Amino acid sequence: MIGPSSDPAELIAHLETLRSEEAIAGMARFGIVTGRALGISNPNIRAVARLAKRDHARATQLWQSPIREARLLALYTAEPKRLTVDEARNWADDFNSWEIVDCAADLFVEARLDELIPEFAANEREFVRRAAFAMIAGAAVHRKDEADATILAWLPLIEAHSGDSRNFVSKAVNWALRSIGKRNRACYGPALGLAELLAESPDKTARWIGRDAVRELSGEKLLARLK
């Protein structure tokens, strides 16, 4: 039985028992890198994480595995307060899948490694840049106690990279903009203003990001919630 005392090898061996070839094929259709995947759903990996409990040293060892599920388990069992900027940078060097990026972004936001956002945004690698905007989206949604000024200060990064046409970047930039706009009334106006600006851009990608954000931020349900 796995638990808090289980080492990385034992946890990976347990994950191997949950392998599903059918699920692997399904994941590939969603753009998930499946070369070293076991086909385990995120809820089931989280269930393993709950049994294993948080252990930062063990999480860093799990991350060394190329197996998708081992890396997700590392992200779910790492200790945010112990995660360092250098560790986050090293993990980002291994990013090769949007879902790994998005799970890592949640951890980095919880660890309050905001200094990495402009650094990752400036990085030309697709998945590292995505991490910056996934972090912005996550912070806008989950950090309720954060000053709105901190959130709004990331809008220039969104504008600066709105022309990156790579799929996993442009979708994350759009996600970040929409998330800021939906945060509260104070963030709504500036985010909508940027969305409207981008919607008129001569750049195709920026124009899509802006128009899509304007459409969502103009929804009646959202406007009613923000009143």
Side-chain angles (χ1 to χ4, degrees):
M1 181 67 179
I2 60 171
S5 63
S6 299
D7 64 26
E10 290 170 327
L11 290 173
I12 291 173
H14 177 72
L15 291 172
E16 292 276 6
T17 68
L18 304 176
R19 182 183 184 95
S20 168
E21 295 296 337
E22 182 179 357
I24 291 172
M27 288 175 178
R29 290 195 292 272
F30 288 95
I32 294 173
V33 176
T34 58
R36 295 303 301 273
L38 302 176
I40 306 171
S41 69
N42 278 354
N44 286 340
I45 299 171
R46 287 187 181 275
V48 174
R50 285 193 293 272
L51 293 173
K53 307 297 184 185
R54 290 191 183 269
D55 183 324
H56 197 71
R58 186 184 61 200
T60 60
Q61 292 176 282
L62 282 168
W63 184 264
Q64 300 307 311
S65 169
I67 298 172
R68 164 191 176 266
E69 287 76 4
R71 287 188 169 174
L72 286 172
L73 188 58
L75 295 171
Y76 294 149
T77 58
E79 298 174 58
K81 291 182 179 179
R82 294 186 60 191
L83 183 68
T84 69
V85 169
D86 284 340
E87 282 178 325
R89 287 190 183 110
N90 289 336
W91 290 12
D93 283 340
D94 295 328
F95 287 165
N96 67 346
S97 174
W98 65 264
E99 64 157 354
I100 294 287
V101 169
D102 294 356
C103 288
D106 286 342
L107 174 64
F108 296 171
V109 166
E110 191 174 354
R112 294 187 175 268
L113 302 182
D114 294 0
E115 64 196 270
L116 290 175
I117 291 176
E119 180 180 320
F120 284 170
N123 195 297
E124 290 296 332
R125 288 174 292 178
E126 182 174 11
F127 289 114
V128 178
R129 182 169 289 173
R130 179 184 175 89
F133 296 99
M135 287 179 69
I136 292 173
V141 172
H142 299 297
R143 298 231 300 248
K144 307 293 187 184
D145 60 337
E146 191 66 66
D148 291 333
T150 299
I151 305 297
L152 292 172
W154 291 320
L155 286 176
L157 281 178
I158 290 173
E159 182 175 7
H161 295 286
S162 61
D164 191 326
S165 62
R166 291 174 294 180
N167 182 50
F168 294 115
V169 175
S170 61
K171 287 184 176 179
V173 172
N174 171 264
W175 176 24
L177 180 56
R178 290 184 289 107
S179 296
I180 292 176
K182 293 188 290 184
R183 176 178 169 86
N184 55 33
R185 174 58 68 176
C187 292
Y188 177 81
L192 179 62
L194 177 55
E196 290 174 337
L197 177 68
L198 295 179
E200 299 302 321
S201 171
D203 182 89
K204 180 179 179 181
T205 301
R207 195 163 59 247
W208 170 78
I209 289 171
R211 289 178 178 176
D212 185 75
V214 168
R215 182 167 53 251
E216 181 159 345
L217 295 178
S218 301
E220 291 182 8
K221 288 185 179 179
L222 174 62
L223 294 174
R225 177 173 69 80
L226 293 176
K227 281 184 178 179

